[in-house]
Amino acid sequence: MSHSRSWRIGKVSRVAVALLGTGVLLVGCASNGDDSGTDTTNTSGDVVTGMVNEQPDPGDAVAGGTMTYGVQVLVPSLDPTKTAARGGSGGEAFAAVYDVLMSYDTASGEFEPKLAQSLDTSDDGSTWRLKLRDGVKFSDGSALDANAVIASIDRYNAGKGNGAELWLASVESAQASGPTTVDFKLKTPWMRFPSMLALGHGMIVAPSSQQGDKFTAVGAGPFTEDLFTPSVERIFKANPSYYGGAPKLDKLRMVALNGPQANLESLNSGQLDVAYIRGLTSAINSAKSAGYPGYIDVLNAGSAEIVNNREGRPGSDVRVRQAIGYALDTTLIDQRVENGEGLPGSELFGPTSQWHVDTPGIAYDPEKAKELLNQAKADGYDGTLDYVVLSEPKDHAIGLAVQSLLQAVGFEVNLILANNAGDIVQNVYVKHDFDLAHAGIGMYESILDLGLFSTTNSTSMANTAGYANPAMDQLIADLQQAKDNSSTLAIIGKIQTLWNETVPSAPIGGLTSFWAWQKNVHGVVPTATGIMLFDQAWMGAK
């Protein structure tokens, strides 16, 4: 085994840009950011990612107080198998209770031990040894040892938590080689394996949590659950026995408000200490200009039109999918919706991404779209599409723009407005009752393999589009085994080429998010998928 203590996921020079439980994300209630940590420039304007409006040295930390954080969704359960751990939509709640074995340094692009003491790999990345910190205990007083880690991971996979399919396809065994040591044997080398221990698999649930059908959230994180009022708030209290030392905060309070503008207004009024401002460029720019410190990030392909590829749907015909792709002018959509301030593009990984390649996305070509659509119509297709869009101002504007572009090439688009995110979940993600839907494809910087596998692999339950292509499955497998950045980028280029040819769905742009906080807030640390860690957070005098 080597003795490296952190792993670089791959920072390369950059060019000048959940759904709950799945890899595809709701956008109208908008989407989270990715994990890049570098200043970059986009053709439609300056896009600065990473920490912004950084604060001067605040001095000694102050203990006490309740920090209020405005999130996207208050998850109904703190069981990590029930909801994908993502920033703003459940990830912070899980991290508060369970912590994470590995954390992602958004500035360096490296995974580093957190709850774990170390994670070492063999030379080829086919075996990994996890060493736990000595003496760590769950909040119920029981030991967080190797057996507890294995039991938690087994439980997570059995419960089909987000990423379980990829884990089971990739990991041959997990065995305790000592009281605080776990050895993972992989089926093939995988240098980005540490990313799997930064999300659900790395959030270790105590054996006492599951008592028959009853689940109680017991972890070794910095907080324990105090109060939950559905759709209103979730409150956590400090865990005095936390291995990193008792948190400075007395309590951490999470509330879900009505979107990014409401979060900004509540931040401005002082009702929020930390606000998740997601996907609304005007609100993000306003918060940034106001001098709020925080973290800005971009979710690759965070805005997309999901095409239902299943039999019986228009999208089962590749010509229809191609026609949709060629019909969408992403720059025009951005002008109508974001006044040209967004990150339009049809590629999977936009210019702010370390995974951006020279292969462009599918090009806007209305004449080609008409030709393909006419071919499909000649074979009996009537040209209609049932298009599901969330009835929220930004999404509705996107829906109208997309409808107009598709109808301009000969489609007849029935715009179906969903009243809330729950309706989108049921119709699109559960029942698959749609032809086209506006949502997002979750291509996070830090979990490259999981994002592509979840949304595109033919065996993935999170493949909302129902796309199935053996050639794409093989490319995703090849990507996982890539040993360095250059080979990774070469395979991403091939994936983009095949995507352009088969159009599983149609990305229309990246999605920017800003986790902004008051100037008296300190010690909030971003990790994978925009999850904010609060174990070192504290508040000074206002």
Side-chain angles (χ1 to χ4, degrees):
M1 296 278 180
S2 70
H3 298 285
S4 171
R5 297 303 171 95
S6 61
W7 294 268
R8 191 172 180 79
I9 281 231
K11 289 282 179 180
V12 296
S13 49
R14 303 184 182 189
V15 240
V17 91
L19 165 73
L20 305 183
T22 76
V24 179
L25 305 171
L26 293 179
V27 180
C29 264
S31 294
N32 342 35
D34 71 21
D35 320 282
S36 54
T38 306
D39 291 0
T40 54
T41 302
N42 168 267
T43 55
S44 61
D46 291 337
V47 178
V48 178
T49 60
M51 304 299 290
V52 298
N53 296 329
E54 294 193 60
Q55 299 140 290
D57 184 354
D60 295 336
V62 177
T66 296
M67 186 174 290
T68 301
Y69 172 34
V71 299
Q72 173 192 359
V73 174
L74 288 174
V75 291
S77 171
L78 290 178
D79 183 348
T81 68
K82 305 299 184 186
T83 304
R86 301 290 186 268
S89 58
E92 285 90 351
F94 297 143
V97 173
Y98 305 109
D99 211 335
V100 286
L101 288 173
M102 302 292 292
S103 64
Y104 180 72
D105 186 320
T106 58
S108 68
E110 296 179 349
F111 280 93
E112 301 172 343
K114 192 172 187 302
L115 180 55
Q117 178 177 302
S118 65
L119 180 63
D120 300 330
T121 178
S122 62
D123 291 340
D124 66 354
S126 61
T127 58
W128 295 81
R129 172 162 290 173
L130 177 77
K131 183 72 172 66
L132 297 169
R133 298 173 184 269
D134 291 330
V136 176
K137 294 185 181 298
F138 293 108
S139 59
D140 66 356
S142 61
L144 196 160
D145 56 16
N147 289 331
V149 168
I150 293 171
S152 179
I153 290 175
D154 287 347
R155 176 187 180 277
Y156 188 84
N157 289 330
K160 299 180 180 179
N162 180 257
E165 292 169 307
L166 179 58
W167 182 284
L168 294 171
S170 307
V171 180
E172 184 174 311
S173 65
Q175 296 181 335
S177 57
T180 57
T181 304
V182 181
D183 289 338
F184 299 100
K185 183 178 180 181
L186 277 55
K187 296 177 182 179
T188 57
W190 185 10
M191 293 306 296
R192 288 184 294 271
F193 171 71
S195 66
M196 297 296 284
L197 299 179
L199 296 173
H201 285 93
M203 296 171 170
I204 305 305
V205 174
S208 64
S209 290
Q210 195 74 54
Q211 300 292 334
D213 293 334
K214 182 182 179 182
F215 179 83
T216 303
V218 180
F223 298 91
T224 59
E225 185 175 24
D226 187 33
L227 174 69
F228 176 48
T229 304
S231 303
V232 177
E233 65 181 1
R234 191 183 286 277
I235 299 176
F236 303 88
K237 60 184 178 181
N239 175 11
S241 61
Y242 179 55
Y243 74 88
K248 296 299 182 183
L249 297 174
D250 291 331
K251 294 188 177 183
L252 174 63
R253 176 175 176 254
M254 298 181 187
V255 297
L257 301 180
N258 189 28
Q261 186 63 38
N263 272 357
L264 173 62
E265 292 169 0
S266 295
L267 186 71
N268 286 336
S269 67
Q271 296 177 70
L272 291 181
D273 298 299
V274 183
Y276 179 30
I277 305 171
R278 188 185 38 144
L280 186 61
T281 302
S282 59
I284 290 169
N285 288 342
S286 178
K288 182 182 172 185
S289 298
Y292 287 112
Y295 177 67
I296 291 181
D297 226 343
V298 173
L299 176 64
N300 300 301
S303 186
E305 305 311 314
I306 308 302
V307 183
N308 194 340
N309 289 226
R310 295 172 178 83
E311 285 300 321
R313 295 289 178 173
S316 63
D317 186 333
V318 68
R319 297 171 300 182
V320 173
R321 302 200 303 272
Q322 291 169 336
I324 292 171
Y326 285 119
L328 298 181
D329 183 343
T330 62
T331 300
L332 176 63
I333 295 169
D334 178 57
Q335 289 171 346
R336 291 188 181 181
V337 177
E338 293 268 40
N339 296 316
E341 296 180 331
L343 295 171
S346 59
E347 66 270 43
L348 290 169
F349 298 95
T352 60
S353 175
Q354 62 184 309
W355 308 120
H356 181 71
V357 294
D358 292 336
T359 306
I362 192 167
Y364 172 56
D365 189 338
E367 294 306 314
K368 196 163 188 176
K370 291 177 183 177
E371 177 185 349
L372 288 160
L373 179 56
N374 286 335
Q375 290 175 12
K377 286 181 175 179
D379 289 337
Y381 171 46
D382 65 4
T384 62
L385 289 172
D386 288 337
Y387 178 33
V388 179
V389 176
L390 186 65
S391 181
E392 177 270 345
K394 181 182 175 182
D395 275 29
H396 193 185
I398 291 173
L400 292 173
V402 169
Q403 181 188 43
S404 176
L405 287 164
L406 291 175
Q407 293 193 155
V409 302
F411 284 101
E412 181 63 35
V413 181
N414 301 318
L415 191 62
I416 301 171
L417 294 178
N419 292 325
N420 52 57
D423 290 344
I424 295 277
V425 170
Q426 282 299 312
N427 293 331
V428 176
Y429 298 100
V430 178
K431 298 179 181 178
H432 302 136
D433 185 15
F434 72 103
D435 296 330
L436 189 69
H438 179 67
I441 303 171
M443 299 299 172
Y444 295 91
E445 294 285 290
S446 58
I447 55 170
L448 174 66
D449 305 283
L450 178 57
L452 282 165
F453 183 95
S454 295
T455 59
T456 311
N457 185 276
S458 60
T459 66
S460 172
M461 295 296 291
N463 181 347
T464 305
Y467 173 78
N469 188 319
M472 185 67 81
D473 291 348
Q474 185 59 56
L475 283 173
I476 293 172
D478 293 344
L479 180 74
Q480 187 179 356
Q481 297 176 45
K483 296 184 180 298
D484 53 37
N485 283 337
S486 61
S487 56
T488 297
L489 291 168
I491 296 168
I492 291 174
K494 294 179 180 179
I495 289 173
Q496 184 68 68
T497 296
L498 183 57
W499 189 284
N500 295 344
E501 294 170 355
T502 59
V503 195
S505 288
I508 60 173
L511 201 75
T512 307
S513 292
F514 185 14
W515 287 260
W517 45 80
Q518 304 286 354
K519 294 179 182 179
N520 71 319
V521 169
H522 307 280
V524 179
V525 177
T527 184
T529 74
I531 292 172
M532 299 295 122
L533 301 176
F534 291 93
D535 54 292
Q536 301 300 318
W538 59 280
M539 297 184 295
K542 292 187 177 180

